[in-house]
Amino acid sequence: DKGNHRHFMEKEIYEQPEVISHALSHYVDFASHRVHPGVSAIDFGKVSGLAISACGTAYLAGLIGKYWFERYARLPVEIDVASEFRYREMPLSPSQAALFISQSGETADTLASLRYCRDNGLKIGAVVNVRESTIARESDAVFPIMAGPEIGVASTKAFTCQLAVLASLAIGAGVARGTISAKDEKELVHHLVEMPRIMAQVLNIIQPQMESLSREISKYKDVLYLGRGTSFPLAMEGALKLKEISYIHAEGYAAGELKHGPIALIDENMPVIVIAPHDRFFDKTVSNMQEVAARGGRIIFITDAAGAAASTLPTMATIILPVVDEIIAPIIFSLPIQLLAYHTAVFMGTDVDQPRNLAKSVTVE
Ligand code: M6R
């Protein structure tokens, strides 16, 4: 049931504050701001490293998770798309743990990667939405994302719930490894707890602007997304979302890679969407944005209030989000990206919930 929404995708975008809050309550304590002991179903304190494997949007959630596990838990992370992971014959040790991220829990390549890790003696954790799935069944520890059924082929609420769970696990791992203090834990969890309210507020505020920007975007054939740090996987997620439902060609790049190739493409026919909260990477990203502007590129700047105040470059549009802590920024910044893809597809008249050639669950290789 779509309720009063036109598409499941729209419904699922707007459900996010509620489902994330539900998911978080499973992992963190809203009163004490501590991580629940359940997150140590895998003993992150003892493992020598983490291998992560997933496909599509779930893989991009895993890439953001890598930044968190490395930063907060000082835990080395090896990550790859499952279709490569399963065949790379990478050396793994039983002292490592492995995490598989999958909404459906049935993705063939992800399942094959899981079995490869199990054969190598690794402890297996599954970050899944469908708890009765094969991937959940074959894992030692299941970390449900509790997003509720996701019907739209384009993953939205599953992505942000995966991120909420990975953030909680990374904080829990940091506590277990002694790399973050009890004070840091409380602060980080406090930001997670605040997040659903901020998400609801952001969805309300940006909706009209994203809708009118989508009209513009629908006139183009190519779009480039740029970001640094956790905004880099988010740039790839933005591009994936746009291409899969609107069929506009889009690429996501690490902003620092711009001058190593894609800069040759910059002209007035390819809008460049720059995802840049005012974080420790901001100035670097703005200098890449400057390179785009100098070549006549059209910029859509997705930033926060501090970022908007700090840059004077002309843009085609500037989307201003509230200033939030780095740990929740990727989740908050997912919202404009989802709405942009959604409204562009609606505007172009494509089948938003069932895009051509795609299946919700890819159970063949
Ligand atoms: O069910 P899974 O999470 O394992 O699915 C993985 C990908 O097929 C999926 O995320 C796909 O990329 C989505 N259609 C993206 O929106």
Side-chain angles (χ1 to χ4, degrees):
D1 178 19
K2 293 181 205 134
N4 44 21
H5 292 283
R6 285 167 292 179
H7 301 95
F8 281 107
M9 183 179 177
E10 185 182 48
K11 172 175 178 257
E12 289 159 4
I13 288 174
Y14 283 92
E15 262 171 16
Q16 290 176 108
E18 197 187 319
V19 291
I20 280 231
S21 167
H22 182 55
L24 281 171
S25 67
H26 194 78
Y27 293 91
V28 302
D29 190 301
F30 280 43
S32 68
H33 293 167
R34 309 297 300 266
V35 176
H36 284 321
V39 303
S40 41
I42 284 190
D43 193 349
F44 290 111
K46 296 230 168 67
V47 299
S48 65
L50 194 59
I52 304 182
S53 175
C55 300
T57 287
Y59 162 71
L60 297 170
L63 259 186
I64 294 177
K66 172 188 163 84
Y67 284 83
W68 287 333
F69 278 107
E70 293 185 340
R71 175 155 192 221
Y72 299 113
R74 309 303 298 151
L75 188 59
V77 176
E78 168 74 69
I79 173 163
D80 212 339
V81 289
S83 53
E84 292 299 319
F85 188 105
R86 64 182 291 191
Y87 293 120
R88 266 173 64 200
E89 299 182 31
M90 62 177 95
L92 292 171
S93 125
S95 67
Q96 289 169 280
L99 271 189
F100 301 90
I101 308 167
S102 175
Q103 189 283 130
S104 63
E106 302 296 343
T107 301
D109 284 318
T110 309
L111 179 59
S113 303
L114 182 158
R115 290 177 176 158
Y116 176 79
C117 287
R118 205 185 41 207
D119 291 346
N120 280 273
L122 278 74
K123 191 92 161 161
I124 311 291
V127 178
V128 291
N129 197 26
V130 182
R131 288 169 92 161
E132 307 74 35
S133 58
T134 313
I135 288 177
R137 252 196 331 269
E138 297 199 11
S139 297
D140 301 309
V142 179
F143 302 108
I145 64 164
M146 307 173 90
E150 190 182 63
I151 310 294
V153 164
S155 184
T156 52
K157 63 175 180 171
F159 177 65
T160 49
C161 285
Q162 284 159 351
L163 291 178
V165 171
L166 291 168
S168 306
L169 294 181
I171 298 169
V175 173
R177 300 173 71 78
T179 50
I180 58 174
S181 65
K183 180 169 165 280
D184 297 335
E185 176 191 14
K186 283 191 175 187
E187 243 169 65
L188 291 166
V189 173
H190 167 78
H191 293 304
L192 292 180
V193 168
E194 290 284 291
M195 178 170 64
R197 185 185 52 78
I198 303 172
M199 293 173 82
Q201 188 192 338
V202 166
L203 282 169
N204 263 327
I205 294 172
I206 63 174
Q207 196 278 338
Q209 202 185 357
M210 298 322 293
E211 195 167 348
S212 68
L213 180 58
S214 299
R215 263 168 213 269
E216 286 301 306
I217 290 293
S218 68
K219 296 180 192 147
Y220 293 92
K221 290 206 165 58
D222 307 279
V223 176
L224 180 64
Y225 289 74
L226 297 177
R228 260 174 209 265
T230 53
S231 300
F232 162 44
L234 208 52
M236 292 195 276
E237 169 62 5
L240 174 58
K241 215 93 297 176
L242 187 69
K243 74 181 99 171
E244 82 175 319
I245 59 172
S246 75
Y247 316 143
I248 294 173
H249 168 239
E251 300 285 343
Y253 258 93
E257 279 289 293
L258 182 68
K259 52 168 82 62
H260 299 285
I263 198 163
L265 293 170
I266 304 290
D267 63 15
E268 68 285 0
N269 299 316
M270 183 182 65
V272 179
I273 301 185
V274 179
I275 305 168
H278 195 259
D279 56 17
R280 58 210 155 95
F281 313 110
F282 181 78
D283 292 342
K284 304 268 175 207
T285 306
V286 166
S287 80
N288 300 126
M289 211 161 92
Q290 224 135 22
E291 291 156 2
V292 172
R295 285 158 187 85
R298 302 219 158 117
I299 295 164
I300 293 158
F301 189 27
I302 305 183
T303 186
D304 55 29
S311 161
T312 51
L313 284 176
T315 65
M316 185 172 145
T318 301
I319 317 297
I320 306 177
L321 305 182
V323 174
V324 295
D325 189 80
E326 221 174 295
I327 193 148
I328 66 167
I331 300 177
I332 302 297
F333 279 69
S334 298
L335 303 174
I337 274 159
Q338 295 170 347
L339 285 175
L340 186 68
Y342 173 71
H343 287 295
T344 305
V346 171
F347 190 67
M348 293 176 83
T350 58
D351 189 342
V352 173
D353 284 333
Q354 294 258 280
R356 67 187 183 199
N357 311 337
L358 281 172
K360 182 65 184 161
S361 164
V362 184
T363 52
V364 291
E365 199 175 331

